[in-house]
Amino acid sequence: KDSILQVLELMPANAHIGIISFGSTVHVYDLTFKACTKSFVFRGTHEPEPTKVQMTLGLHTPTAGAPVTARAPVKNPFIVPLEEYEDNIQLILEQLHRDPTPVRNDKRPLRSTGVAVSVAISLMEYTYSSHGGRIMVFMGGACTQGPGLVVSPELKETIRSHHDLNKENA
């Protein structure tokens, strides 16, 4: 959390920010809701279609008719200007906690990285269809569930490391 808060301090004030957290499930945070932390949850086991993400989040397709190259960014409560919502963003980041799903000693924690990135891409496509953007992923281990699976949750299955590559054991 501290590292992400430091990154936030180094970002330009006019940057637009969204927060998606993931573990066994994926949470998309409404950054404009000030009364309490509000998030929408997606299952981490399968990748939702971009239209399904938009429907779940209550977003509507931008008006047709305008050429894609001339379309301005669409406003939504999930990607907001840092300068306007910095307090909400910091509060959400400070309240983040470990995934509550219990993890046995012989298993890895469930990480739905692929679904989280897919949801982020859907939000970016909706909001900035004709503009560039960046998705930054901060994670503590390999994807262990859903699309993008790198290694199973079983600890008995090892994952290769840079040491294996150096020793030509890969």
Side-chain angles (χ1 to χ4, degrees), residues 32-91:
T32 62
F33 199 75
K34 295 184 180 190
C36 62
T37 302
K38 179 179 177 183
S39 67
F40 292 79
V41 181
F42 293 88
R43 279 189 291 173
T45 54
H46 73 282
E47 182 176 2
E49 295 291 324
T51 54
K52 181 74 171 168
V53 172
Q54 292 173 12
M55 281 186 358
T56 303
L57 298 177
L59 304 172
H60 303 288
T61 307
T63 55
V68 173
T69 56
R71 190 177 292 160
V74 178
K75 294 189 179 215
N76 73 56
F78 307 102
I79 300 177
V80 297
L82 177 61
E83 60 193 351
E84 292 179 35
Y85 295 96
E86 188 169 6
D87 293 338
N88 282 11
I89 293 168
Q90 286 181 348
L91 181 66

Side-chain angles (χ1 to χ4, degrees), residues 79-164:
I79 300 177
V80 297
L82 177 61
E83 60 193 351
E84 292 179 35
Y85 295 96
E86 188 169 6
D87 293 338
N88 282 11
I89 293 168
Q90 286 181 348
L91 181 66
I92 289 169
L93 289 174
E94 288 169 359
Q95 291 178 347
L96 286 179
H97 51 76
R98 288 186 180 270
D99 188 359
T101 305
V103 180
R104 293 186 0 212
N105 289 340
D106 62 338
K107 300 217 181 246
R108 292 180 177 88
L110 295 175
R111 290 188 190 93
S112 304
T113 312
V115 174
V117 171
S118 177
V119 169
I121 290 170
S122 296
L123 273 173
M124 290 287 286
E125 286 175 345
Y126 172 79
T127 308
Y128 300 102
S129 63
S130 62
H131 302 284
R134 178 178 300 153
I135 296 172
M136 298 170 61
V137 180
F138 301 92
M139 57 187 197
C143 180
T144 57
Q145 175 178 270
L149 179 77
V150 173
V151 65
S152 79
E154 303 291 330
L155 280 176
K156 64 184 176 186
E157 180 184 330
T158 60
I159 185 169
R160 88 176 161 198
S161 68
H162 66 280
H163 297 296
D164 294 322

